[in-house]
Amino acid sequence: MLLVLEQALNGLQYGVTLFLMAAGLTLVFGIMNLVNLAHGSLYMVGAYLATTFYQWTGSFLAGVALALAATLGLGILLEIVALRTLYERDHLDQVLATFGLILFFNELVAILWGRAALYTSLPAWLGGHVPVLPGVRYPVYRAVVIVVGLAVAVLLWGLVARTRLGMLIRAGASNRTMVAALGVNIRLLYTLVFGLGAALAGLAGLMAGPIYAVQPGMGEQILIQVFVVIVIGGIGSIRGALVAAIIVGMVDTLGRAFLKPTLATFLSPSAADSAGPALASMLIYLLMAVVLLFRPQGLFPVRAR
Amino acid sequence: MALSPRTLAVSACVIALGLVPLAAAVLDEPFYIDLFRRIMIFAIAALSLDLVLGYGGMVSFGHAAYLGVGAYAVGVLAYHGVDNGYLQWAVAILASALIALVIGAVSIRTSGVYFIMITLAFTQMLYYLGISIEEYGGDDGMRLATLSQFAGVIDLGDATAFYYLVLGILALFLLLGHRIVNARFGMVIRAARSNEGRALAIGFSPYRYKLAAFVIAGAMGGVAGALLVNHTAYLTPEFMHWTRSGEIMFMVILGGMGTLIGPVVGALVLLLLEDMLSAWTVHWQIILGPFLVLVVLFAKRGLVGLLPDGAGRG
């Protein structure tokens, strides 16, 4: 039972990481109508920069702050140099051009840092375990990731629902021509939103860095799961992204942990050994297929476009 | 019958490819047979994707799935001692058609960016499935136990014979593609791409036609997979990696989508470029990536679009 709780917390931690990625991607899609495959590259860059800045400064927090600022800057630069021209193109062009960007970034990272995976050590104050229930201890760092992720979700909700910028973002998502006609600098708004999405991806990457290996191509592994999240949640919906991210994070983590032992109770051990991991790795995609059969627009469809 | 510029271009291309083994013998560079055989296998994959993408307007970002399923069908049968090529390839075609039917049935219900993401996600699911099955090599893949055996009709171990088999299949698929897109079936698919509402209004149900095109393309992709696994003599989940789907898609765009010759030209140019760049630097992708971006931004109609009008469309 304790193991279930621990794995559920791991699922939640993975879920909030997925949410940070999905929020940026779905904002950018909802407002600019841009499919950005290179979103995973920003995640990767965030992880690399945080690792490097941490080594340079010796302070974990300084590394995080610098990496966040740098991915924000990189996102803005990327938007101005390459992506701005893609808004008016069809999705096929966007997919191909951002696919090209992925190749570029993966290779750039391989040139700068090498192809071998980097591992970060955590500072002492993030290293230990924290009791979450009597007798249940959970790694401090993963707990911090969960708290930060949920806090960002609340902040993001506040930003979108309660501020003037958020109002413009919502207005831009439902009718951008009208927003532009009302005298809003839509270009600047787009650049800001893209930068915000990039910083969120960077945050997800830098928090994932100490948990998973930091290596070229790390962004695409998560990117495709983020697509699953967005498709399940409904494209353009931040609320949908949050709900779907938690569901996908839980299903994936719990599936990997418990599917094999569960199967072993009514299959032969060898059959469970081979079917368990195979089924676990397919679980979220099957979930996506089932959701699509019943709700082709996702769980929280966005009405106006 | 007067030959159109398009037919001439296709024929010239096929004839030129037919001369490659001769040139390789004259230059004493057998490596070229290998290189161009690989190119033609990917041309078959790109051609099959173009039926869906160029003619059907369905942006499938998961075409590597069928390459992988075809390859696994052959590889797994060979692993269990079934080396009859006819049987292996029939299974490869049926299996990839079946997978295409399942993926298509779910994804064609959606459109636009959902379609892109879903086809990508399903392919990634198959990729992870390939990785997680330890019996067939898992992550590392495994050697193909034996090449497909065709009972004395053709020996795939003979590089030149295998080369001409691939060329023959490519030519057959070009012809088949020509028949499909100009038949009533192809007209409906193209009509659904230009305006799905109107296609519905004149009494066609595009869903079935699109699904049928998707399945045909999947089966053709499966043939490419069966060829590819015999070409490399190695089975690996990497065949289904999503970057492979991106590459195949890019071949179609680079050559010119919605044409039959386009995917062949695209495969030729992209793979030759990769070959040259990778001989020059290990970091060739840092050049290829921005090149892709520039092609998308500035050469929308692909290389075939640069030809005089009439050669490009069709």
Side-chain angles (χ1 to χ4, degrees):
Chain A
M1 204 54 227
L2 295 182
L3 190 61
V4 175
L5 180 67
E6 189 182 341
Q7 290 296 346
L9 283 171
N10 282 345
L12 187 61
Q13 174 257 314
Y14 187 51
V16 298
T17 309
L18 285 174
F19 167 70
L20 291 178
M21 289 287 288
L25 201 59
T26 209
L27 263 182
V28 166
F29 182 78
I31 297 165
M32 285 94 106
N33 198 19
L34 172 76
V35 191
N36 178 22
L37 294 185
H39 202 65
S41 299
L42 295 162
Y43 169 89
M44 173 181 71
V45 169
Y48 269 99
L49 288 180
T51 310
T52 306
F53 288 140
Y54 175 31
Q55 280 168 357
W56 284 357
T57 59
S59 155
F60 187 79
L61 287 180
V64 166
L66 285 173
L68 267 183
T71 40
L72 177 74
L74 177 68
I76 289 177
L77 185 72
L78 194 61
E79 199 269 347
I80 293 173
V81 173
L83 298 179
R84 184 169 275 184
T85 44
L86 287 172
Y87 295 151
E88 299 302 319
R89 301 297 198 92
D90 60 26
H91 292 144
L92 177 61
D93 288 4
Q94 298 173 350
V95 164
L96 284 165
T98 51
F99 175 68
L101 288 177
I102 290 181
L103 296 184
F104 174 77
F105 277 113
N106 280 344
E107 207 58 49
L108 185 68
V109 163
I111 291 174
L112 292 177
W113 283 281
R115 282 187 207 281
L118 301 183
Y119 295 93
T120 340
S121 55
L122 288 165
W125 55 278
L126 282 173
H129 286 70
V130 58
V132 281
L133 276 181
V136 186
R137 286 150 55 78
Y138 193 68
V140 173
Y141 184 71
R142 285 181 185 254
V144 167
V145 171
I146 294 176
V147 172
V148 170
L150 293 178
V152 170
V154 173
L155 280 179
L156 206 57
W157 170 80
L159 175 78
V160 173
R162 287 280 183 272
T163 65
R164 184 171 171 80
L165 179 64
M167 186 187 71
L168 290 177
I169 288 176
R170 279 177 289 136
S174 49
N175 192 332
R176 53 177 140 180
T177 323
M178 186 63 85
V179 175
L182 289 172
V184 175
N185 185 342
I186 199 94
R187 279 201 141 183
L188 184 65
L189 181 69
Y190 282 6
T191 310
L192 281 179
V193 170
F194 194 86
L196 176 68
L200 288 175
L203 178 64
L206 69 89
M207 290 202 304
I211 300 179
Y212 316 104
V214 178
Q215 57 193 354
M218 65 185 282
E220 284 76 68
Q221 284 174 5
I222 192 165
L223 179 79
I224 293 164
Q225 303 213 325
V226 170
F227 279 168
V228 173
V229 166
I230 292 181
V231 167
I232 291 179
I235 297 175
S237 161
I238 292 188
R239 190 168 46 141
L242 180 62
V243 173
I246 307 274
I247 294 175
V248 169
M250 287 283 184
V251 167
D252 193 57
T253 310
L254 295 178
R256 281 175 205 281
F258 298 114
L259 205 57
K260 199 159 95 180
T262 313
L263 284 177
T265 56
F266 53 90
L267 288 176
S268 72
S270 68
D273 257 6
S274 51
L279 201 56
S281 65
M282 293 167 66
L283 215 50
I284 59 167
Y285 304 101
L286 297 176
L287 177 72
M288 177 186 76
V290 172
V291 169
L292 284 176
L293 277 180
F294 294 102
R295 307 195 59 148
Q297 300 297 309
L299 295 176
F300 295 90
V302 175
R303 285 178 308 277
R305 265 226 53 85
Chain B
M1 183 182 94
L3 288 176
S4 68
R6 177 162 36 94
T7 320
L8 275 177
V10 175
S11 321
C13 203
V14 170
I15 291 169
L17 282 170
L19 295 176
V20 165
L22 280 179
V26 172
L27 297 171
D28 196 25
E29 291 273 12
F31 162 73
Y32 284 121
I33 297 186
D34 198 69
L35 175 65
F36 278 88
R37 196 168 66 200
R38 187 177 135 78
I39 288 174
M40 289 192 301
I41 292 171
F42 276 99
I44 293 172
L47 178 64
S48 66
L49 175 63
D50 193 30
L51 284 183
V52 172
L53 177 67
Y55 292 99
M58 293 173 269
V59 185
S60 167
F61 200 167
H63 212 63
Y66 315 110
L67 212 58
V69 171
Y72 266 86
V74 171
V76 168
L77 283 174
Y79 174 77
H80 291 292
V82 182
D83 60 1
N84 181 325
Y86 298 108
L87 181 66
Q88 284 180 343
W89 291 29
V91 172
I93 291 171
L94 283 178
S96 45
L98 188 69
I99 296 285
L101 181 67
V102 174
I103 295 180
V106 175
S107 48
I108 295 173
R109 285 160 51 90
T110 68
S111 62
V113 67
Y114 277 96
F115 188 85
I116 300 175
M117 290 185 182
I118 293 161
T119 46
L120 175 61
F122 276 126
T123 307
Q124 201 65 3
M125 175 180 95
L126 292 173
Y127 171 72
Y128 284 123
L129 182 64
I131 281 189
S132 61
I133 303 179
E134 290 297 332
E135 172 132 28
Y136 305 128
D139 210 351
D140 301 323
M142 63 176 183
R143 277 190 60 76
L144 183 63
T146 45
L147 294 180
S148 299
Q149 301 297 314
F150 288 96
V153 176
I154 187 167
D155 174 17
L156 298 189
D158 177 347
T160 311
F162 189 12
Y163 182 92
Y164 282 112
L165 175 68
V166 176
L167 179 62
I169 292 176
L170 176 62
L172 180 72
F173 280 3
L174 280 169
L175 200 63
L176 202 66
H178 180 72
R179 297 295 289 269
I180 290 176
V181 298
N182 290 305
R184 180 172 168 280
F185 174 77
M187 295 291 184
V188 177
I189 303 284
R190 289 151 74 182
R193 180 197 58 184
S194 352
N195 192 328
E196 183 142 3
R198 279 190 203 163
L200 264 171
I202 55 173
F204 291 105
S205 159
Y207 178 81
R208 285 189 191 171
Y209 285 85
K210 283 165 103 171
L211 186 57
F214 202 80
V215 171
I216 293 171
M220 287 165 81
V223 174
L227 291 170
L228 185 62
V229 74
N230 276 295
H231 170 79
T232 56
Y234 202 86
L235 179 69
T236 151
E238 290 300 311
F239 288 159
M240 293 184 277
H241 196 252
W242 72 280
T243 50
R244 189 80 58 174
S245 302
E247 266 182 10
I248 298 173
M249 195 166 175
F250 188 72
M251 289 169 190
V252 176
I253 308 301
L254 179 64
M257 65 170 179
T259 67
L260 290 172
I261 190 70
V264 181
V265 174
L268 204 65
V269 173
L270 185 69
L271 292 177
L272 284 178
L273 193 68
E274 276 188 18
D275 186 61
M276 273 156 37
L277 286 177
S278 60
W280 183 49
T281 161
V282 286
H283 298 299
W284 53 276
Q285 290 198 338
I286 204 153
I287 302 165
L288 188 70
F291 170 73
L292 301 193
V293 179
L294 291 178
V295 168
V296 172
L297 291 183
F298 299 111
K300 183 66 215 297
R301 287 181 60 205
L303 294 171
V304 174
L306 303 176
L307 292 177
D309 251 22
R313 300 303 315 164

